[in-house]
Amino acid sequence: MASPNKQQKRAQRAKAKAKQNRSGKAKANVVHPLLANPLVNEPFDDVEIDLSTFNFKDIEENGFDPAHFDDLFQAMKVGEGISLLAMCLVFLQYPVLELVVAEESQESAIDFMMGLLIVYRGIFHDEDEDTAVNWVGSDAFQKAYNEASMILEKKNARGTPNTRV
């Protein structure tokens, strides 16, 4: 019979393996390690967003109320606490943003995205518009944004967009 210490180690390994199997998140299935974090991978699953009431034309004409995007900004702040890449992953998974990108012109979608990013930087980093625009244009942000786009493309190519990887 194995020593109590060996039995305990075996039990711990078995418990960890069982937990991994229950969660369905085997490491081989992860497109990127950041997607193993539920705060980064599909962070808006638990947020109720009624896309049927979203009126982009009203936003184009009158601007948007930052309070309506508080769930996005809070999730981005959590993501930014992990890394700039995590923040970009969170940002690009926002359902309203996905809708705008899918249904509006590229120019309108870019303007909307820039507006969200500028407001975010103003709220959480106390930056003015010019400083925020410079941040969005920075090499670090552009690299993280492009990498996040590629990660999400790979993730979505492996399964349906709402399937956790």
Side-chain angles (χ1 to χ4, degrees):
M1 188 161 138
S3 70
N5 193 22
K6 271 192 172 179
Q7 288 177 336
Q8 184 179 16
K9 286 182 182 180
R10 283 183 188 155
Q12 286 175 337
R13 282 194 303 271
K15 182 179 176 184
K17 182 68 174 172
K19 182 177 180 182
Q20 183 183 42
N21 288 339
R22 277 194 312 272
S23 69
K25 292 185 180 179
K27 290 185 186 207
N29 293 333
V30 176
V31 172
H32 191 278
L34 279 173
L35 294 179
N37 185 334
L39 298 174
V40 176
N41 188 20
E42 301 182 22
F44 304 102
D45 273 2
D46 299 335
V47 178
E48 289 207 23
I49 300 171
D50 185 2
L51 295 176
S52 66
T53 62
F54 180 72
N55 185 347
F56 187 71
K57 295 300 174 209
D58 183 49
I59 289 175
E60 279 187 314
E61 293 170 7
N62 304 312
F64 63 85
D65 181 354
H68 292 148
F69 297 92
D70 189 56
D71 52 346
L72 169 64
F73 297 146
Q74 294 300 326
M76 286 172 65
K77 182 65 177 164
V78 170
E80 189 176 21
I82 297 167
S83 69
L84 184 55
L85 177 58
M87 187 209 75
C88 288
L89 283 165
V90 167
F91 178 68
L92 289 172
Q93 293 178 84
Y94 190 57
V96 171
L97 183 63
E98 290 176 346
L99 178 71
V100 170
V101 169
E103 295 187 357
E104 302 300 329
S105 71
Q106 183 178 4
E107 184 179 325
S108 294
I110 289 171
D111 288 347
F112 179 63
M113 292 165 62
M114 285 294 293
L116 290 172
L117 291 166
I118 289 167
V119 169
Y120 170 78
R121 292 297 288 191
I123 291 171
F124 290 101
H125 296 277
D126 198 29
E127 292 181 354
D128 62 21
E129 184 174 341
D130 290 338
T131 305
V133 168
N134 288 336
W135 172 77
V136 170
S138 71
D139 288 342
F141 179 82
Q142 290 297 313
K143 181 179 180 220
Y145 181 88
N146 290 331
E147 186 176 351
S149 295
M150 290 187 333
I151 289 168
L152 292 174
E153 276 183 34
K154 287 179 188 174
K155 173 191 167 201
N156 292 337
R158 292 181 78 157
T160 59
N162 292 329
T163 302
R164 289 190 184 267
V165 178

